[in-house]
Amino acid sequence: MLTNNRNYKLKWLSLLGIVLVGFWMGLLASPAWAEPFELPNINLQIGGEDNPDALSTTLQLIILLTVLSLAPAIVILLTSFTRIIVVLSFLRSSLATNQMPPNQILIGLALFLTFFVMAPTLQEVNREAVQPLLQGEISQETAYTSGMAPIRSFMFEQTREKDLALFVKMAQIERPRNFDDIPNYVLIPSFIISELKTAFQIGFIIFVPFLIIDMVVASSLMSMGMMMLPPMMISLPFKILLFVLVDGWNLVIQSLIQSFG
């Protein structure tokens, strides 16, 4: 019986395939489909103008698109975002709540905290570089120098001298006399590893109280002979309760913001 049903289905599928092939061949044979399909003429050209201003505008557009493509890296590595997101990730790991809060919430919170911390710096950049450039008062080179000055000051305040000395040594440049002698390609990686060290220090402090709770719960279960019961399942509600009672989010965010002071 199953063999007959299978043969019946195969016959119908074969018939359907023949009909579809015939229909497709009929379309190809019709006058509308017999004509060749023409692609639209798309021409991407840089320059080609006798006017130097037109070429300059094209190059400015290319530079702008390049900067926009690097914008995520600039936001992540040249601001307070790195320290904030690492600390928040440590907090979630110490609570052992898996994906709660979700990654989208943590990244969104880290972004808005970054805007809060960097607000004075960004306002200075806007005042000293962006607005004068838009009004035509300064050139692009002057705007870049004026705009990087507040960002460099922020990074120097958060960077350890040991990390700066490491990259100055590896870059094999002359011993800098002041901060102005340190180029950006030396300052930026120094700032990044300093931020990671500070974030790991804060993360360790966050881990300690939750680790104590895990140890107490594990020892209590072992003393009661409940060795098959996962300690994490019992300690999780106590860690969440402790975090809520001490107003953990307020304390963590306050400590993060004050760490940039």
Side-chain angles (χ1 to χ4, degrees):
M1 184 66 181
L2 294 175
T3 304
N4 294 333
N5 290 335
R6 187 178 300 173
N7 293 332
Y8 182 74
K9 292 180 180 179
L10 290 175
K11 290 180 180 179
W12 272 105
L13 290 175
S14 301
L15 181 61
L16 181 60
I18 293 173
V19 172
L20 291 176
V21 170
F23 178 73
W24 180 250
M25 295 298 294
L27 287 177
L28 292 178
S30 61
W33 289 86
E35 298 179 358
F37 180 73
E38 296 182 358
L39 293 174
N41 186 14
I42 300 176
N43 184 18
L44 298 178
Q45 184 178 358
I46 300 176
E49 295 284 345
D50 295 333
N51 187 5
D53 294 336
L55 179 59
S56 177
T57 304
T58 304
L59 293 178
Q60 291 177 7
L61 180 60
I62 294 175
I63 295 174
L64 177 61
L65 293 176
T66 304
V67 172
L68 290 178
S69 65
L70 297 175
I74 295 174
V75 172
I76 291 174
L77 299 179
L78 302 187
T79 63
S80 59
F81 181 84
T82 300
R83 183 189 306 184
I84 294 173
I85 192 61
V86 171
V87 171
L88 293 180
S89 299
F90 269 118
L91 175 61
R92 186 174 65 179
S93 300
S94 62
L95 286 172
T97 53
N98 295 330
Q99 295 297 323
M100 295 302 295
N103 291 330
Q104 294 85 348
I105 301 298
L106 288 185
I107 295 175
L109 178 60
L111 281 174
F112 280 102
L113 290 177
T114 300
F115 294 149
F116 180 82
V117 172
M118 299 298 297
T121 303
L122 296 178
Q123 290 174 0
E124 186 175 356
V125 171
N126 181 63
R127 182 177 61 255
E128 300 295 334
V130 177
Q131 292 303 323
L133 177 64
L134 294 178
Q135 296 174 5
E137 299 176 357
I138 58 177
S139 63
Q140 296 179 2
E141 293 78 7
T142 305
Y144 172 76
T145 304
S146 303
M148 281 300 299
I151 299 177
R152 284 172 56 89
S153 299
F154 172 80
M155 289 192 290
F156 277 123
E157 291 175 359
Q158 308 302 326
T159 304
R160 300 181 304 161
E161 293 184 3
K162 182 178 180 181
D163 297 327
L164 276 174
L166 171 65
F167 283 95
V168 167
K169 179 180 179 181
M170 290 192 298
Q172 298 180 354
I173 60 177
E174 296 182 0
R175 183 181 179 88
R177 295 170 304 214
N178 50 43
F179 288 154
D180 294 335
D181 295 337
I182 300 177
N184 290 332
Y185 71 88
V186 172
L187 172 60
I188 293 174
S190 306
F191 169 74
I192 295 171
I193 64 174
S194 296
E195 287 291 283
L196 289 176
K197 178 180 174 59
T198 305
F200 273 66
Q201 290 174 340
I202 299 175
F204 172 77
I205 297 174
I206 292 175
F207 254 102
V208 171
F210 300 111
L211 179 61
I212 294 175
I213 293 178
D214 289 333
M215 294 174 61
V216 171
V217 171
S219 60
S220 300
L221 292 177
M222 186 176 296
S223 63
M224 291 186 294
M226 299 180 180
M227 302 180 62
M228 301 301 295
L229 185 62
M232 192 68 65
M233 184 181 301
I234 305 301
S235 63
L236 179 58
F238 290 101
K239 291 192 289 187
I240 295 177
L241 179 62
L242 173 65
F243 190 72
V244 172
L245 289 178
V246 300
D247 198 3
W249 287 111
N250 187 288
L251 291 176
V252 171
I253 301 304
Q254 181 180 359
S255 300
L256 266 175
I257 299 301
Q258 291 179 349
S259 67
F260 291 100

